[in-house]
Each structure stands twice: as structure tokens, then as C-alpha cells.
């Protein structure tokens, strides 16, 4: 029986350990925390959006690398596995899937149950500081203890939410084995905007559409809840565009967000509305169309006196107002950091890893799974799905 050490008891590491044991390896999990699956508890606002039934490789940054992994452990197979574990799925809009209990702790509970049922030992407070390979792997823990294994699975996550345990040391461990990294940056994260109106807009939430603008063209459009904050903008729509926005910012590009304030009626409908309400003040004419708290900052932005009558607005002013209703543009200047991000974009270079087995091409017997790799997906259950699938595949091959 080959001995496998899994470094990291998060989503991908737990599946890797279960899979390696199911494939008859002698497995040990090393986890720096005193508990397993700490980050899982925070997922899906405590409900754990643990997969997406519509997930395909196309929902990730490198589809060609995800495909062979999904061919072996598809979202459908993952769902079946979790059902065997005892999780009844609740499928919501856009394929997002939660445990019917709506408790992220259910996912952690069934995984721990499985780890215990399979007699997989877990070493807690086991902060790995070095990995070396001669004929076997030698792993050193922070307090000096040394452990040996035939195979190692690196499942230490990325840098998102470091207080959950994923503080990025996994990258250094991989680099010490000769691996390289692509630049990392926070993804699925709130964005910072440059605007004098943020203080007034702070806390305004409304259903809208947002467009990410680069080079004058929309490069991504999302519809749903939008939330202004004192530093910028947040909400599910923003998390979805944040990856592309941050990537472009990293490349030194200028990016803007167009916030479409009117959801539903088109420009002609709104023009008709203004002509019907021409005897009202501009402020009053906007009530019932957009969130009331947006009206004053918006009118300030377009230099229109809120008390002026609609019929007294110049054609130019009316055009400017209408343009802003259908796309108020803000420069994006940054994002919140890894503490607030759901996922890390970038990571261990995938060209150095076999996509079929997830084994390192540099060090035989070293495997990777989860967020440590340069793979990330959209918000909606895709990142955990990658953690489960990649964990399962890494565990399977590490046990051979
Ligand atoms: C707030 C939040 C909400 C999220 N919601 C969702 C969601 O609803 N759906 C979804 O699909 N995705 C969600 N995600 C993303 C998802 O949780 C991650 O992509 C996934 O957990 C990554 O799994 P992982 O195993 O690679 O890493 P992690 O889950 O981060 O696990 C890594 C583990 O390794 C341990 N570790 C790290 N370094 C060492 C070391 N040197 N020695 C020993 N142990 C170490 C850590 O303590 C940790 O337990 C969310 C993320 C966050 C932060």
C-alpha cells in the first residue's frame, strides 16, 4: 500500500483523502488548523453553494485543463457522491446547488463522518513548512517534526480568506519543488470605484445591470443585485465581473463599470415617461423609476437642478440624463484584497501539471488539487466543484 500525505484539510484535500483511501492508499491528512473544512463553513453565505449542476469546463479560466478532470469526476458524479454522503441537494436559479438543510456545516459534517468512517487519520496543528523528495518525500512541520510519504498531495488552497488557513504557504512549498506561478490576484471580490458620489450612494441596493467596459466596449455584462458602498460597488453582479476587471487592472489597463439604473423599460419607454411627466420637477419625475437615493447623486453628476421642471430641461441635458440612466460610468480603481475575496485567480502554472492525473511534471509523486492551481471559476458553485473534482482525481492517481 502506498502512503499518501494530503497537505490541507479543506474542500479539495478532504475529497483527495477520501478518494485516495477508496483507492486503497494509506492516507494521512495534515491540517494547520484545529478543525477541518474551515472555509467551507463560510461558503454560500453559510449555505454552501457546493456545486452547480450546469457546470462545464467552459466556466473556468483554462477549460482544456479542467476537461480531463471533469471527464473523470463530473459535477453529476460529484452530486451523486454527496447524495451517498447524505446531502439532499436543493437546486436553485442558474444551477446553483445547496444542501437542502441550507447549512454549510452539513457538508463539513458529512465529510468528517466519511473521513472517520474510512479511518483516515488527521494531524491537526500540523503547519507544513517544507517538502523535500529524495527516494521518498520528507515533510517538515513548523514545530520540527518530520514525516515521510511515498506521495504528497498539495491541497493548501490559494490566498483568498487567509484567516481560514489558506495563507499562501502552499505556493512556497510548490516553488521549493521547482514549480512556478502565474501572477495571483483576488477574484470574486468587491470593486473600488473613483467617484465623489460614493458617500451619498453608500448602502443603495437595487436590481440592475452592470457592464465592464474596456477600450470603450462592454466585455462582460451581468444582471442582478447591485450594491453601492462607501468604497465602490458590490453584489453578485460585481463579483462576477471582478475577475476580468482585476485581470485588466493587473495588466495596467483602464477599466470602467457602466451601471444601468433602469432595469426593464427601454430608452423609448423612458423618453415617453418624461414627456408624460413634463410638468413635474426632474427629481419627482424619477421617483418610481429608480431607487430614490440615487436621484440626488445622479442629478449632481449630470449638473441638473432637481427642482427644474422636466419641460424646462435643454435637449442636451435630457440626453445626458437619459444616457446616465442607461449607463452611469465609473472608473474602477481596484478591488478589496484577499481577505475579502472568494477565490484566488492565478496560481501554480498548469503547464507543469499533468491534467489527466494532476501529478507534477517536475517531481514524480507530487500532486495538486483545488485553488492552489491556476484554475478559477465564476461565482455559483464552480470553485467548490473544481475542488471536489480535482481532489478526487489527485487522490485516485496518488494512490496508484
Ligand atoms: C467567503 C467565501 C465564500 C465562498 N463561497 C463559495 C460557494 O458558495 N461556492 C463555491 O463553489 N465556492 C465558494 N468559495 C470558494 C471555495 O470555498 C474555494 O475555492 C475552495 O474552498 C478551495 O478549496 P481548497 O481545498 O483548494 O482550499 P481551502 O478550502 O482554502 O483549504 C486549504 C486548507 O489547507 C490548509 N493549509 C494551508 N496551508 C497549509 C500548510 N502549510 N500546512 C497545513 N495546512 C495548510 C488550510 O488551513 C485549509 O484548511 C468561497 C470562498 C470564500 C472565501
Amino acid at each position: 500500500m502506498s502512503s499518501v500525505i494530503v497537505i490541507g484539510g479543506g474542500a479539495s484535500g478532504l475529497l483527495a483523502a477520501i478518494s485516495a483511501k477508496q483507492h486503497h492508499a494509506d492516507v494521512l491528512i495534515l491540517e494547520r488548523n484545529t478543525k477541518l473544512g474551515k472555509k467551507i463553513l463560510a461558503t454560500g453565505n453559510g449555505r454552501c453553494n457546493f456545486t452547480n449542476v450546469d457546470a462545464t469546463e467552459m466556466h473556468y479560466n483554462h477549460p482544456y485543463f479542467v476537461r480531463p478532470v471533469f471527464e473523470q469526476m463530473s459535477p453529476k458524479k460529484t452530486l451523486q457522491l454527496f447524495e451517498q454522503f447524505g446531502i439532499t441537494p436543493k437546486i436553485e436559479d442558474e444551477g446553483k446547488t445547496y444542501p437542502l438543510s441550507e447549512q454549510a456545516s452539513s457538508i463539513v459534517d458529512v465529510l468528517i463522518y466519511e473521513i472517520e468512517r474510512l479511518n483516515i487519520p488527521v494531524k491537526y496543528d500540523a503547519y507544513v513548512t517544507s517538502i523535500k523528495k529524495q527516494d521518498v518525500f520528507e515533510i517538515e512541520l513548523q514545530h520540527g517534526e518530520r514525516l515521510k510519504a511515498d506521495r504528497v498531495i498539495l491541497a493548501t488552497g490559494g490566498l483568498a480568506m487567509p484567516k481560514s488557513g489558506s495563507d499562501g504557504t502552499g505556493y512556497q512549498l510548490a516553488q521549493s519543488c521547482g514549480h512556478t506561478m502565474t501572477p495571483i490576484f483576488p477574484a470574486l471580490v468587491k470593486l473600488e470605484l473613483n467617484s465623489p458620489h460614493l458617500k451619498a450612494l453608500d448602502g443603495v441596493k437595487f436590481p440592475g445591470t452592470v457592464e465592464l467596459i474596456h477600450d470603450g466596449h462592454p466585455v462582460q455584462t451581468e444582471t442582478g443585485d447591485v450594491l453601492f458602498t462607501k468604497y465602490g460597488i458590490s453584489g453578485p453582479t460585481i463579483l462576477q465581473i471582478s475577475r476580468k476587471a482585476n485581470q485588466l487592472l493587473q495588466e495596467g489597463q483602464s477599466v470602467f463599470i457602466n451601471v444601468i439604473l433602469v432595469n426593464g423599460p427601454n430608452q423609448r419607454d423612458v423618453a415617453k415617461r418624461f414627456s408624460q411627466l413634463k410638468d413635474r420637477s426632474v427629481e419627482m419625475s424619477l421617483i418610481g423609476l429608480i431607487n430614490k437615493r440615487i436621484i440626488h447623486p445622479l442629478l449632481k453628476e449630470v449638473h441638473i437642478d432637481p427642482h427644474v421642471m422636466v419641460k424646462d430641461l435643454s435637449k442636451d441635458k435630457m440626453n445626458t440624463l437619459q444616457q446616465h440612466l442607461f449607463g452611469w460610468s465609473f472608473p474602477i480603481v481596484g478591488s478589496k484584497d484577499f481577505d475579502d475575496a472568494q477565490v484566488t485567480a492565478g496560481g501554480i502554472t498548469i503547464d507543469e501539471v499533468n491534467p489527466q492525473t494532476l501529478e507534477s511534471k517536475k517531481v514524480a509523486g507530487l500532486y495538486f488539487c483545488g485553488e492552489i492551481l491556476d484554475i478559477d471559476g465564476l461565482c455559483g458553485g464552480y470553485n467548490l466543484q473544481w475542488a471536489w473534482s480535482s481532489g478526487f482525481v489527485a487522490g485516485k492517481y496518488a494512490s496508484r
Side-chain angles (χ1 to χ4, degrees):
M1 218 160 51
S2 72
S3 66
V4 176
I5 283 189
V6 179
I7 306 179
S12 67
L14 293 175
L15 247 277
I18 291 170
S19 164
K21 184 76 186 204
Q22 283 174 344
H23 291 90
H24 314 298
D26 181 11
V27 189
L28 168 67
I29 299 173
L30 301 180
E31 169 54 56
R32 60 175 293 202
N33 293 327
T34 52
K35 285 184 178 141
L36 295 173
K38 198 168 166 189
K39 189 183 286 173
I40 300 172
L41 295 175
T43 59
N45 285 325
R47 294 202 300 145
C48 188
N49 178 192
F50 73 102
T51 183
N52 190 302
V53 288
D54 300 329
T56 71
E57 68 270 20
M58 298 314 291
H59 292 102
Y60 299 86
N61 58 331
H62 294 299
Y64 83 90
F65 191 85
V66 174
R67 189 177 310 122
V69 174
F70 274 14
E71 275 165 7
Q72 299 176 74
M73 188 60 178
S74 63
K76 195 173 163 196
K77 269 196 188 165
T78 310
L79 200 61
Q80 285 164 354
L81 184 69
F82 273 92
E83 286 194 77
Q84 281 168 26
F85 289 168
I87 298 295
T88 298
K90 179 172 188 261
I91 301 169
E92 297 191 356
D93 57 312
E94 295 163 348
K96 290 180 199 151
T97 308
Y98 301 82
L100 189 59
S101 63
E102 301 208 5
Q103 289 176 306
S105 59
S106 305
I107 298 286
V108 176
D109 287 346
V110 299
L111 288 170
I112 292 177
Y113 181 85
E114 208 56 25
I115 296 284
E116 288 173 358
R117 191 182 70 80
L118 293 169
N119 285 321
I120 300 173
V122 183
K123 206 170 173 53
Y124 294 100
D125 270 329
Y127 191 46
V128 176
T129 51
S130 103
I131 307 174
K132 289 196 182 100
K133 185 171 181 204
Q134 280 160 357
D135 48 334
V136 293
F137 286 92
E138 195 172 281
I139 290 162
E140 191 170 334
L141 305 185
Q142 196 171 36
H143 52 75
E145 191 180 347
R146 286 179 187 189
L147 300 156
K148 287 192 173 168
D150 298 322
R151 313 274 166 88
V152 168
I153 301 176
L154 209 42
T156 45
L159 245 182
M161 201 185 176
K163 69 170 191 258
S164 69
S166 52
D167 63 352
T169 46
Y171 297 133
Q172 286 139 37
L173 294 173
Q175 282 171 323
S176 74
C177 293
H179 280 273
T180 61
M181 281 176 68
T182 62
I184 55 167
F185 54 91
L188 310 190
V189 66
K190 300 158 184 172
L191 294 174
E192 292 173 347
L193 306 178
N194 181 9
S195 165
H197 306 296
L198 293 176
K199 205 171 161 202
L201 289 169
D202 183 19
V204 175
K205 185 178 166 198
F206 62 99
T209 296
V210 293
E211 293 174 335
L212 179 66
I213 306 290
H214 174 236
D215 258 355
H217 300 289
V219 289
Q220 193 178 342
T221 303
E222 299 288 338
T223 298
D225 279 346
V226 180
L227 171 69
F228 280 108
T229 66
K230 55 180 179 302
Y231 55 81
I233 196 159
S234 169
T237 47
I238 304 308
L239 299 190
Q240 295 294 36
I241 66 164
S242 63
R243 198 233 188 254
K244 200 168 268 174
N246 262 352
Q247 186 180 345
L248 289 163
L249 286 174
Q250 287 269 319
E251 292 165 6
Q253 311 276 331
S254 300
V255 273
F256 296 83
I257 187 163
N258 264 357
V259 182
I260 294 153
L261 300 170
V262 178
N263 219 11
N266 61 27
Q267 306 228 21
R268 192 182 292 174
D269 298 330
V270 171
K272 197 169 151 200
R273 176 190 168 96
F274 281 127
S275 68
Q276 280 166 352
L277 302 178
K278 62 181 186 311
D279 292 325
R280 291 190 190 179
S281 67
V282 178
E283 177 182 14
M284 206 50 218
S285 75
L286 290 168
I287 287 196
L289 180 69
I290 60 172
N291 186 300
K292 192 173 174 176
R293 284 192 51 205
I294 300 177
I295 296 175
H296 272 237
L298 173 67
L299 293 179
K300 237 186 199 166
E301 170 74 12
V302 295
H303 306 292
I304 292 177
D305 177 351
H307 306 296
V308 76
M309 293 293 143
V310 171
K311 62 183 174 204
D312 295 333
L313 270 187
S314 70
K315 209 170 169 193
D316 274 0
K317 285 275 182 217
M318 180 49 92
N319 280 344
T320 311
L321 176 58
Q322 291 222 32
Q323 269 164 20
H324 278 71
L325 287 170
F326 287 92
W328 186 358
S329 177
F330 299 86
I332 302 174
V333 291
S335 77
K336 288 282 166 191
D337 64 14
F338 284 109
D339 289 338
D340 280 297
Q342 286 197 11
V343 78
T344 311
I348 298 304
T349 311
I350 51 174
D351 295 347
E352 300 165 353
V353 178
N354 180 338
Q356 194 64 36
T357 61
L358 299 182
E359 185 175 12
S360 160
K361 291 181 184 172
K362 305 230 169 215
V363 180
L366 176 65
Y367 293 79
F368 293 95
C369 55
E371 211 176 294
I372 188 170
L373 287 164
D374 173 20
I375 297 291
D376 63 279
L378 290 170
C379 190
Y382 303 102
N383 289 297
L384 279 172
Q385 180 56 54
W386 168 248
W388 313 131
S389 292
S390 59
F392 184 86
V393 168
K396 176 168 103 179
Y397 288 96
S399 67
R400 292 199 170 167

